[in-house]
Amino acid sequence: MLSRIEQICSDKGLKMTDQRRIIAQVLSESIDHPDVDLVYRRATELDPRISIATVYRTLRLFEEANILEKHDFGDGRARYEEASGDHHDHLINIKTGEVVEFYNQEIEAMKQQIAKDLGFELVDHRLELYATPSVSNESPDDDSSF
Amino acid sequence: MLSRIEQICSDKGLKMTDQRRIIAQVLSESIDHPDVDLVYRRATELDPRISIATVYRTLRLFEEANILEKHDFGDGRARYEEASGDHHDHLINIKTGEVVEFYNQEIEAMKQQIAKDLGFELVDHRLELYATPSVSNESPDDDSSF
DNA sequence: TTATGTGCAAAGAGTTTGCCAGCTA
DNA sequence: TAGCTGGCAAACTCTTTGCACATAA
């Protein structure tokens, strides 16, 4: 069965190779926001006949086809997620690196308004919240090498 | 006369060298958000006896001393501005690279609230609007290599 | 069959660092 | 003078690319 992303690729008429299929599958199944190296490791686990250069090339291809979204959470590495159409912002747990997605209609409206007030037309935007879990009865094993 | 930043350095007890003084001056006088290379070029203009490594080291030193703020506007280069205490966000003119600062109390409050609602404590945040000038009677020579 | 994709290794951009000479306090 | 600082070049990380071979359509 085709992965979600492979289906989109075929709809868009992209030439599909084994490598692209694997990378499409990896990202279809990723619920986190993996960086290039993590995509590469997940991909080679499924099929070792794949190089890091192909991962870079394919991620860029998918991004340019609006199949993936590329993010930069400030650590100098690109991170990817499947494009979902609906815009959302990110909260990054700086203790664990975990990314929580959220959407707030009011904030979106205000972004538009602010750009307009400054005499601009909004093309893109990003809002990232860097935060630590509130002290409460959380599981204490969240802490990692982050 | 001491530049604003040099004054802060001396208050903080940092050992001052000619190089650090020059870099302090460059950033005190910069009203834009220069990247490392631009700081380097402005510095060597004032005194050629300064290396790019020193610029990197000094910018990092100043950032860690909370004298400067480091930003990443998504083009893979760090950009710096004098830390002003009062938080603000940035609108980046994607036609020219120019950066406009703005502050919106409501948005700040909402960032806090969203983090709290998700069970987090806000540590840091960034909001960037990427925009083009509204079509109006602007000077048409804004367009650059950007 | 032919345009396109891939692997490999080399190259690039931005940034950091080891080492020793030089300078600040 | 003691110890931090700076210059230089090498090293590092992330990403891109030239080239020859492989492959989808």
Side-chain angles (χ1 to χ4, degrees):
Chain A
M1 169 214 163
L2 297 191
S3 71
R4 241 178 355 236
I5 292 178
E6 189 180 344
Q7 181 63 57
I8 301 172
C9 291
S10 114
D11 293 349
K12 299 207 178 208
L14 293 180
K15 185 188 277 191
M16 289 313 280
T17 61
D18 291 346
Q19 290 87 338
R20 289 183 179 178
R21 252 183 287 275
I22 294 287
I23 293 169
Q25 183 187 341
V26 164
L27 274 132
S28 290
E29 292 172 354
S30 291
I31 57 170
D32 49 358
H33 297 65
D35 63 26
V36 176
D37 187 61
L38 189 49
V39 173
Y40 173 61
R41 282 186 278 132
R42 287 177 183 168
T44 47
E45 227 164 81
L46 298 175
D47 183 346
R49 302 179 1 241
I50 194 165
S51 78
I52 189 75
T54 296
V55 174
Y56 274 104
R57 279 191 275 234
T58 304
L59 290 176
R60 179 147 58 129
L61 176 76
F62 287 179
E63 191 213 343
E64 285 169 355
N66 295 311
I67 295 168
L68 298 179
E69 278 175 25
K70 181 181 186 173
H71 297 292
D72 159 21
F73 293 149
D75 57 0
R77 286 172 292 180
R79 299 174 66 167
Y80 290 87
E81 70 175 314
E82 191 173 346
S84 58
D86 65 318
H87 170 81
H88 57 256
D89 296 309
H90 296 97
L91 181 149
I92 296 97
N93 180 338
I94 58 178
K95 294 269 261 189
T96 65
E98 175 207 9
V99 175
V100 180
E101 301 180 350
F102 67 89
Y103 177 80
N104 183 296
Q105 176 58 51
E106 287 174 81
I107 283 206
E108 297 309 317
M110 295 178 72
K111 290 177 187 174
Q112 283 289 152
Q113 188 60 46
I114 288 168
K116 196 175 156 199
D117 290 349
L118 292 172
F120 288 86
E121 201 123 347
L122 200 55
V123 172
D124 197 10
H125 48 260
R126 75 174 169 193
L127 169 60
E128 283 149 26
L129 306 181
Y130 298 87
T132 50
S134 296
V135 278
S136 65
N137 45 348
E138 292 282 324
S139 59
D141 55 342
D142 273 352
D143 207 80
S144 77
S145 60
F146 231 76
Chain B
M1 167 215 165
L2 297 191
S3 71
R4 243 179 354 236
I5 292 177
E6 189 179 348
Q7 182 62 55
I8 301 172
C9 290
S10 116
D11 293 350
K12 298 207 179 207
L14 294 180
K15 186 187 280 192
M16 289 312 280
T17 61
D18 291 346
Q19 291 87 337
R20 289 185 180 178
R21 251 184 288 274
I22 294 288
I23 294 170
Q25 184 187 340
V26 164
L27 274 130
S28 290
E29 291 173 355
S30 291
I31 57 170
D32 48 356
H33 297 65
D35 62 26
V36 176
D37 186 61
L38 189 49
V39 172
Y40 174 60
R41 281 185 279 132
R42 287 178 183 169
T44 47
E45 226 163 83
L46 298 175
D47 183 346
R49 302 179 4 247
I50 194 164
S51 78
I52 188 76
T54 297
V55 174
Y56 274 105
R57 279 191 274 234
T58 304
L59 290 175
R60 180 148 57 132
L61 176 77
F62 287 178
E63 191 212 343
E64 284 168 356
N66 295 310
I67 295 169
L68 297 180
E69 279 176 23
K70 180 182 187 174
H71 297 292
D72 158 22
F73 292 147
D75 58 0
R77 287 172 293 181
R79 300 175 67 168
Y80 291 86
E81 70 175 313
E82 191 172 347
S84 58
D86 66 318
H87 170 81
H88 56 255
D89 295 310
H90 296 96
L91 180 148
I92 296 96
N93 180 338
I94 58 177
K95 293 268 261 189
T96 65
E98 175 207 8
V99 176
V100 179
E101 301 180 350
F102 67 88
Y103 177 80
N104 183 296
Q105 176 57 51
E106 286 175 83
I107 282 206
E108 298 308 316
M110 294 179 72
K111 290 177 185 174
Q112 283 289 151
Q113 189 59 46
I114 288 168
K116 196 175 156 197
D117 290 349
L118 293 171
F120 288 86
E121 202 124 348
L122 199 55
V123 172
D124 196 9
H125 48 260
R126 77 172 168 193
L127 168 60
E128 283 149 26
L129 306 181
Y130 297 88
T132 50
S134 296
V135 278
S136 64
N137 45 348
E138 293 281 325
S139 60
D141 55 343
D142 273 354
D143 207 79
S144 77
S145 59
F146 234 74

